[in-house]
mmCIF file of all heavy atoms in Angstrom:
data_model
loop_
_atom_site.group_PDB
_atom_site.id
_atom_site.type_symbol
_atom_site.label_atom_id
_atom_site.label_comp_id
_atom_site.label_asym_id
_atom_site.label_seq_id
_atom_site.Cartn_x
_atom_site.Cartn_y
_atom_site.Cartn_z
ATOM 1 N N LEU A 173 67.115 18.046 -86.890
ATOM 2 C CA LEU A 173 66.737 17.118 -85.778
ATOM 3 C C LEU A 173 67.982 16.582 -85.127
ATOM 4 O O LEU A 173 68.760 15.819 -85.805
ATOM 5 C CB LEU A 173 65.877 16.039 -86.273
ATOM 6 C CG LEU A 173 65.444 14.942 -85.252
ATOM 7 C CD1 LEU A 173 64.753 15.485 -84.088
ATOM 8 C CD2 LEU A 173 64.659 13.841 -85.924
ATOM 9 N N GLU A 174 68.326 16.914 -83.887
ATOM 10 C CA GLU A 174 69.518 16.527 -83.217
ATOM 11 C C GLU A 174 69.226 15.943 -81.898
ATOM 12 O O GLU A 174 69.048 16.615 -80.879
ATOM 13 C CB GLU A 174 70.529 17.648 -83.148
ATOM 14 C CG GLU A 174 71.871 17.265 -82.670
ATOM 15 C CD GLU A 174 72.914 18.318 -82.696
ATOM 16 O OE1 GLU A 174 72.588 19.473 -83.304
ATOM 17 O OE2 GLU A 174 74.020 18.160 -82.146
ATOM 18 N N LEU A 175 69.237 14.546 -81.811
ATOM 19 C CA LEU A 175 68.990 13.864 -80.593
ATOM 20 C C LEU A 175 70.146 13.005 -80.231
ATOM 21 O O LEU A 175 69.961 11.876 -79.687
ATOM 22 C CB LEU A 175 67.716 13.076 -80.690
ATOM 23 C CG LEU A 175 66.457 13.830 -81.033
ATOM 24 C CD1 LEU A 175 65.257 12.888 -81.165
ATOM 25 C CD2 LEU A 175 66.161 14.924 -80.027
ATOM 26 N N TRP A 176 71.382 13.366 -80.534
ATOM 27 C CA TRP A 176 72.573 12.599 -80.307
ATOM 28 C C TRP A 176 72.647 12.321 -78.802
ATOM 29 O O TRP A 176 72.553 13.129 -77.966
ATOM 30 C CB TRP A 176 73.834 13.335 -80.780
ATOM 31 C CG TRP A 176 75.030 12.642 -80.894
ATOM 32 C CD1 TRP A 176 75.375 11.828 -81.946
ATOM 33 C CD2 TRP A 176 76.168 12.560 -80.048
ATOM 34 N NE1 TRP A 176 76.639 11.238 -81.771
ATOM 35 C CE2 TRP A 176 77.151 11.758 -80.628
ATOM 36 C CE3 TRP A 176 76.446 13.227 -78.790
ATOM 37 C CZ2 TRP A 176 78.339 11.483 -79.978
ATOM 38 C CZ3 TRP A 176 77.674 12.950 -78.176
ATOM 39 C CH2 TRP A 176 78.559 12.057 -78.727
ATOM 40 N N GLY A 177 72.827 10.997 -78.409
ATOM 41 C CA GLY A 177 72.896 10.642 -77.024
ATOM 42 C C GLY A 177 74.292 10.671 -76.493
ATOM 43 O O GLY A 177 75.183 9.955 -77.059
ATOM 44 N N ILE A 200 63.479 3.087 -84.828
ATOM 45 C CA ILE A 200 63.319 4.338 -85.516
ATOM 46 C C ILE A 200 62.047 4.307 -86.325
ATOM 47 O O ILE A 200 61.944 3.473 -87.228
ATOM 48 C CB ILE A 200 64.507 4.760 -86.373
ATOM 49 C CG1 ILE A 200 65.761 4.841 -85.555
ATOM 50 C CG2 ILE A 200 64.240 6.082 -87.075
ATOM 51 C CD1 ILE A 200 66.972 5.029 -86.423
ATOM 52 N N TYR A 212 69.108 17.889 -91.906
ATOM 53 C CA TYR A 212 70.050 17.485 -90.932
ATOM 54 C C TYR A 212 69.378 16.647 -89.872
ATOM 55 O O TYR A 212 68.494 17.016 -89.106
ATOM 56 C CB TYR A 212 70.638 18.745 -90.261
ATOM 57 C CG TYR A 212 71.778 18.547 -89.267
ATOM 58 C CD1 TYR A 212 73.090 18.432 -89.658
ATOM 59 C CD2 TYR A 212 71.548 18.421 -87.919
ATOM 60 C CE1 TYR A 212 74.176 18.368 -88.808
ATOM 61 C CE2 TYR A 212 72.573 18.229 -86.970
ATOM 62 C CZ TYR A 212 73.861 18.245 -87.491
ATOM 63 O OH TYR A 212 74.926 18.096 -86.574
ATOM 64 N N ILE A 213 69.780 15.354 -89.735
ATOM 65 C CA ILE A 213 69.279 14.386 -88.786
ATOM 66 C C ILE A 213 70.409 13.681 -88.052
ATOM 67 O O ILE A 213 71.236 12.996 -88.745
ATOM 68 C CB ILE A 213 68.324 13.352 -89.411
ATOM 69 C CG1 ILE A 213 67.027 14.077 -89.985
ATOM 70 C CG2 ILE A 213 67.887 12.353 -88.430
ATOM 71 C CD1 ILE A 213 66.089 13.133 -90.645
ATOM 72 N N VAL A 214 70.381 13.839 -86.789
ATOM 73 C CA VAL A 214 71.428 13.125 -85.912
ATOM 74 C C VAL A 214 70.689 12.378 -84.806
ATOM 75 O O VAL A 214 70.126 12.966 -83.887
ATOM 76 C CB VAL A 214 72.361 14.076 -85.299
ATOM 77 C CG1 VAL A 214 73.387 13.404 -84.412
ATOM 78 C CG2 VAL A 214 73.153 14.903 -86.389
ATOM 79 N N LEU A 215 70.732 11.032 -84.941
ATOM 80 C CA LEU A 215 70.124 10.206 -83.871
ATOM 81 C C LEU A 215 71.158 9.184 -83.283
ATOM 82 O O LEU A 215 70.798 8.301 -82.480
ATOM 83 C CB LEU A 215 68.990 9.329 -84.566
ATOM 84 C CG LEU A 215 67.849 10.118 -85.187
ATOM 85 C CD1 LEU A 215 66.887 9.159 -85.880
ATOM 86 C CD2 LEU A 215 67.122 10.999 -84.177
ATOM 87 N N GLY A 216 72.433 9.372 -83.588
ATOM 88 C CA GLY A 216 73.400 8.501 -83.158
ATOM 89 C C GLY A 216 73.689 8.455 -81.691
ATOM 90 O O GLY A 216 73.152 9.303 -80.920
ATOM 91 N N ARG A 217 74.491 7.414 -81.185
ATOM 92 C CA ARG A 217 74.772 7.233 -79.809
ATOM 93 C C ARG A 217 73.546 7.044 -78.990
ATOM 94 O O ARG A 217 73.415 7.583 -77.884
ATOM 95 C CB ARG A 217 75.540 8.393 -79.260
ATOM 96 C CG ARG A 217 77.002 8.577 -79.707
ATOM 97 C CD ARG A 217 77.857 7.573 -79.070
ATOM 98 N NE ARG A 217 79.308 7.661 -79.493
ATOM 99 C CZ ARG A 217 80.222 6.852 -79.102
ATOM 100 N NH1 ARG A 217 79.929 5.868 -78.289
ATOM 101 N NH2 ARG A 217 81.555 7.082 -79.446
ATOM 102 N N ASN A 218 72.567 6.216 -79.435
ATOM 103 C CA ASN A 218 71.468 5.846 -78.719
ATOM 104 C C ASN A 218 71.207 4.293 -78.762
ATOM 105 O O ASN A 218 72.156 3.578 -79.322
ATOM 106 C CB ASN A 218 70.203 6.577 -79.252
ATOM 107 C CG ASN A 218 70.053 8.034 -78.799
ATOM 108 O OD1 ASN A 218 69.901 8.250 -77.563
ATOM 109 N ND2 ASN A 218 70.206 8.944 -79.663
ATOM 110 N N PHE A 220 68.769 2.571 -80.393
ATOM 111 C CA PHE A 220 67.775 2.262 -81.333
ATOM 112 C C PHE A 220 68.053 0.786 -81.887
ATOM 113 O O PHE A 220 69.237 0.561 -82.140
ATOM 114 C CB PHE A 220 67.780 3.267 -82.481
ATOM 115 C CG PHE A 220 67.207 4.582 -82.074
ATOM 116 C CD1 PHE A 220 68.054 5.733 -82.159
ATOM 117 C CD2 PHE A 220 65.962 4.775 -81.682
ATOM 118 C CE1 PHE A 220 67.598 6.972 -81.805
ATOM 119 C CE2 PHE A 220 65.416 5.971 -81.240
ATOM 120 C CZ PHE A 220 66.289 7.070 -81.318
ATOM 121 N N ILE A 228 63.556 6.614 -95.091
ATOM 122 C CA ILE A 228 64.499 7.674 -95.008
ATOM 123 C C ILE A 228 64.899 8.099 -96.430
ATOM 124 O O ILE A 228 65.228 9.252 -96.661
ATOM 125 C CB ILE A 228 65.750 7.256 -94.121
ATOM 126 C CG1 ILE A 228 65.410 7.229 -92.630
ATOM 127 C CG2 ILE A 228 66.885 8.214 -94.331
ATOM 128 C CD1 ILE A 228 66.553 6.842 -91.768
ATOM 129 N N LEU A 234 67.680 15.864 -97.503
ATOM 130 C CA LEU A 234 68.507 15.477 -96.493
ATOM 131 C C LEU A 234 69.986 15.577 -96.895
ATOM 132 O O LEU A 234 70.422 15.100 -97.991
ATOM 133 C CB LEU A 234 68.284 14.009 -96.069
ATOM 134 C CG LEU A 234 68.920 13.610 -94.736
ATOM 135 C CD1 LEU A 234 68.470 14.419 -93.569
ATOM 136 C CD2 LEU A 234 68.632 12.143 -94.509
ATOM 137 N N GLU A 235 70.886 16.318 -96.078
ATOM 138 C CA GLU A 235 72.250 16.504 -96.424
ATOM 139 C C GLU A 235 73.181 15.868 -95.459
ATOM 140 O O GLU A 235 74.358 15.540 -95.750
ATOM 141 C CB GLU A 235 72.568 18.015 -96.438
ATOM 142 C CG GLU A 235 71.847 18.824 -97.510
ATOM 143 C CD GLU A 235 72.019 20.345 -97.485
ATOM 144 O OE1 GLU A 235 73.013 20.703 -96.684
ATOM 145 O OE2 GLU A 235 71.418 21.118 -98.140
ATOM 146 N N TYR A 236 72.659 15.530 -94.238
ATOM 147 C CA TYR A 236 73.557 14.941 -93.203
ATOM 148 C C TYR A 236 72.716 14.030 -92.354
ATOM 149 O O TYR A 236 71.668 14.367 -91.814
ATOM 150 C CB TYR A 236 74.038 16.119 -92.329
ATOM 151 C CG TYR A 236 75.125 15.769 -91.328
ATOM 152 C CD1 TYR A 236 76.394 16.142 -91.494
ATOM 153 C CD2 TYR A 236 74.837 15.078 -90.138
ATOM 154 C CE1 TYR A 236 77.448 15.794 -90.588
ATOM 155 C CE2 TYR A 236 75.807 14.750 -89.230
ATOM 156 C CZ TYR A 236 77.098 15.168 -89.450
ATOM 157 O OH TYR A 236 78.085 14.757 -88.517
ATOM 158 N N LEU A 237 73.222 12.737 -92.240
ATOM 159 C CA LEU A 237 72.527 11.781 -91.492
ATOM 160 C C LEU A 237 73.496 10.962 -90.615
ATOM 161 O O LEU A 237 74.482 10.372 -91.110
ATOM 162 C CB LEU A 237 71.827 10.724 -92.465
ATOM 163 C CG LEU A 237 71.061 9.499 -91.785
ATOM 164 C CD1 LEU A 237 69.972 10.032 -90.879
ATOM 165 C CD2 LEU A 237 70.522 8.631 -92.881
ATOM 166 N N ASP A 238 73.268 10.994 -89.331
ATOM 167 C CA ASP A 238 74.056 10.265 -88.345
ATOM 168 C C ASP A 238 73.218 9.340 -87.604
ATOM 169 O O ASP A 238 72.389 9.835 -86.761
ATOM 170 C CB ASP A 238 74.807 11.285 -87.412
ATOM 171 C CG ASP A 238 75.713 10.559 -86.456
ATOM 172 O OD1 ASP A 238 75.673 9.305 -86.376
ATOM 173 O OD2 ASP A 238 76.471 11.273 -85.695
ATOM 174 N N ILE A 239 73.342 8.030 -87.836
ATOM 175 C CA ILE A 239 72.615 7.061 -87.020
ATOM 176 C C ILE A 239 73.673 6.004 -86.583
ATOM 177 O O ILE A 239 73.402 4.773 -86.454
ATOM 178 C CB ILE A 239 71.492 6.340 -87.814
ATOM 179 C CG1 ILE A 239 71.924 5.944 -89.235
ATOM 180 C CG2 ILE A 239 70.288 7.193 -87.838
ATOM 181 C CD1 ILE A 239 70.824 5.275 -90.045
ATOM 182 N N ALA A 240 74.897 6.551 -86.153
ATOM 183 C CA ALA A 240 75.936 5.622 -85.774
ATOM 184 C C ALA A 240 75.851 5.281 -84.379
ATOM 185 O O ALA A 240 75.080 5.985 -83.563
ATOM 186 C CB ALA A 240 77.289 6.331 -86.033
ATOM 187 N N ARG A 241 76.559 4.178 -83.937
ATOM 188 C CA ARG A 241 76.665 3.815 -82.561
ATOM 189 C C ARG A 241 75.284 3.558 -81.881
ATOM 190 O O ARG A 241 75.043 3.975 -80.744
ATOM 191 C CB ARG A 241 77.406 4.917 -81.768
ATOM 192 C CG ARG A 241 78.693 5.381 -82.328
ATOM 193 C CD ARG A 241 79.781 4.272 -82.300
ATOM 194 N NE ARG A 241 80.907 4.639 -83.154
ATOM 195 C CZ ARG A 241 81.812 3.825 -83.590
ATOM 196 N NH1 ARG A 241 81.801 2.527 -83.162
ATOM 197 N NH2 ARG A 241 82.781 4.259 -84.253
ATOM 198 N N CYS A 242 74.417 2.848 -82.621
ATOM 199 C CA CYS A 242 73.197 2.340 -82.010
ATOM 200 C C CYS A 242 73.240 0.858 -82.082
ATOM 201 O O CYS A 242 74.285 0.296 -81.967
ATOM 202 C CB CYS A 242 72.046 2.895 -82.855
ATOM 203 S SG CYS A 242 71.856 4.714 -82.777
ATOM 204 N N LEU A 244 71.345 -0.916 -84.518
ATOM 205 C CA LEU A 244 70.608 -1.163 -85.643
ATOM 206 C C LEU A 244 71.065 -2.430 -86.393
ATOM 207 O O LEU A 244 72.310 -2.731 -86.513
ATOM 208 C CB LEU A 244 70.655 -0.009 -86.643
ATOM 209 C CG LEU A 244 70.046 1.288 -86.038
ATOM 210 C CD1 LEU A 244 70.449 2.561 -86.954
ATOM 211 C CD2 LEU A 244 68.649 1.204 -85.848
ATOM 212 N N LEU A 258 72.506 14.202 -100.115
ATOM 213 C CA LEU A 258 73.224 13.698 -98.846
ATOM 214 C C LEU A 258 74.732 13.808 -99.051
ATOM 215 O O LEU A 258 75.275 13.271 -100.080
ATOM 216 C CB LEU A 258 72.824 12.297 -98.482
ATOM 217 C CG LEU A 258 73.227 11.868 -97.107
ATOM 218 C CD1 LEU A 258 72.342 12.590 -96.065
ATOM 219 C CD2 LEU A 258 73.211 10.352 -96.930
ATOM 220 N N THR A 260 76.973 13.558 -96.005
ATOM 221 C CA THR A 260 77.612 12.883 -95.012
ATOM 222 C C THR A 260 76.606 11.813 -94.425
ATOM 223 O O THR A 260 75.501 12.080 -94.125
ATOM 224 C CB THR A 260 78.006 13.827 -93.821
ATOM 225 O OG1 THR A 260 78.841 14.854 -94.291
ATOM 226 C CG2 THR A 260 78.691 13.092 -92.767
ATOM 227 N N LEU A 261 77.178 10.561 -94.332
ATOM 228 C CA LEU A 261 76.408 9.396 -93.867
ATOM 229 C C LEU A 261 77.249 8.648 -92.827
ATOM 230 O O LEU A 261 78.335 8.080 -93.228
ATOM 231 C CB LEU A 261 75.909 8.538 -95.001
ATOM 232 C CG LEU A 261 75.228 7.264 -94.637
ATOM 233 C CD1 LEU A 261 74.047 7.509 -93.822
ATOM 234 C CD2 LEU A 261 74.903 6.374 -95.862
ATOM 235 N N PHE A 262 76.734 8.628 -91.565
ATOM 236 C CA PHE A 262 77.366 7.886 -90.482
ATOM 237 C C PHE A 262 76.407 6.737 -90.150
ATOM 238 O O PHE A 262 75.330 6.964 -89.639
ATOM 239 C CB PHE A 262 77.652 8.739 -89.284
ATOM 240 C CG PHE A 262 78.723 9.742 -89.444
ATOM 241 C CD1 PHE A 262 78.479 11.048 -89.776
ATOM 242 C CD2 PHE A 262 80.041 9.345 -89.150
ATOM 243 C CE1 PHE A 262 79.531 11.937 -89.868
ATOM 244 C CE2 PHE A 262 81.100 10.268 -89.243
ATOM 245 C CZ PHE A 262 80.826 11.577 -89.655
ATOM 246 N N VAL A 263 76.935 5.479 -90.341
ATOM 247 C CA VAL A 263 76.186 4.209 -89.835
ATOM 248 C C VAL A 263 77.095 3.364 -89.095
ATOM 249 O O VAL A 263 76.824 2.160 -88.861
ATOM 250 C CB VAL A 263 75.457 3.479 -91.005
ATOM 251 C CG1 VAL A 263 74.442 4.327 -91.700
ATOM 252 C CG2 VAL A 263 76.533 3.071 -92.001
ATOM 253 N N SER A 264 78.275 3.878 -88.678
ATOM 254 C CA SER A 264 79.200 3.081 -87.926
ATOM 255 C C SER A 264 78.729 2.514 -86.636
ATOM 256 O O SER A 264 77.764 3.018 -86.044
ATOM 257 C CB SER A 264 80.462 3.968 -87.625
ATOM 258 O OG SER A 264 80.961 4.564 -88.780
ATOM 259 N N ASN A 266 77.150 -0.268 -85.685
ATOM 260 C CA ASN A 266 75.866 -0.861 -85.538
ATOM 261 C C ASN A 266 76.031 -2.384 -85.777
ATOM 262 O O ASN A 266 77.157 -2.936 -85.562
ATOM 263 C CB ASN A 266 74.790 -0.302 -86.511
ATOM 264 C CG ASN A 266 74.294 1.005 -86.069
ATOM 265 O OD1 ASN A 266 73.545 1.131 -85.050
ATOM 266 N ND2 ASN A 266 74.719 2.125 -86.753
ATOM 267 N N TYR A 286 80.848 6.594 -93.604
ATOM 268 C CA TYR A 286 81.458 5.898 -92.469
ATOM 269 C C TYR A 286 80.515 4.759 -92.144
ATOM 270 O O TYR A 286 79.338 4.939 -91.577
ATOM 271 C CB TYR A 286 81.616 6.752 -91.327
ATOM 272 C CG TYR A 286 82.693 7.838 -91.441
ATOM 273 C CD1 TYR A 286 82.410 9.097 -92.019
ATOM 274 C CD2 TYR A 286 84.028 7.576 -91.113
ATOM 275 C CE1 TYR A 286 83.300 10.028 -92.196
ATOM 276 C CE2 TYR A 286 85.051 8.541 -91.252
ATOM 277 C CZ TYR A 286 84.660 9.812 -91.844
ATOM 278 O OH TYR A 286 85.566 10.718 -92.014
#
Side-chain angles (χ1 to χ4, degrees):
L173 173 62
E174 187 174 351
L175 303 179
W176 196 78
I200 298 175
Y212 184 88
I213 294 180
V214 175
L215 301 176
R217 288 284 184 183
N218 281 295
F220 292 116
I228 287 180
L234 197 60
E235 298 177 10
Y236 190 104
L237 176 62
D238 181 351
I239 46 178
R241 311 292 169 194
C242 295
L244 298 169
L258 194 72
T260 302
L261 175 59
F262 287 96
V263 295
S264 307
N266 283 291
Y286 293 86

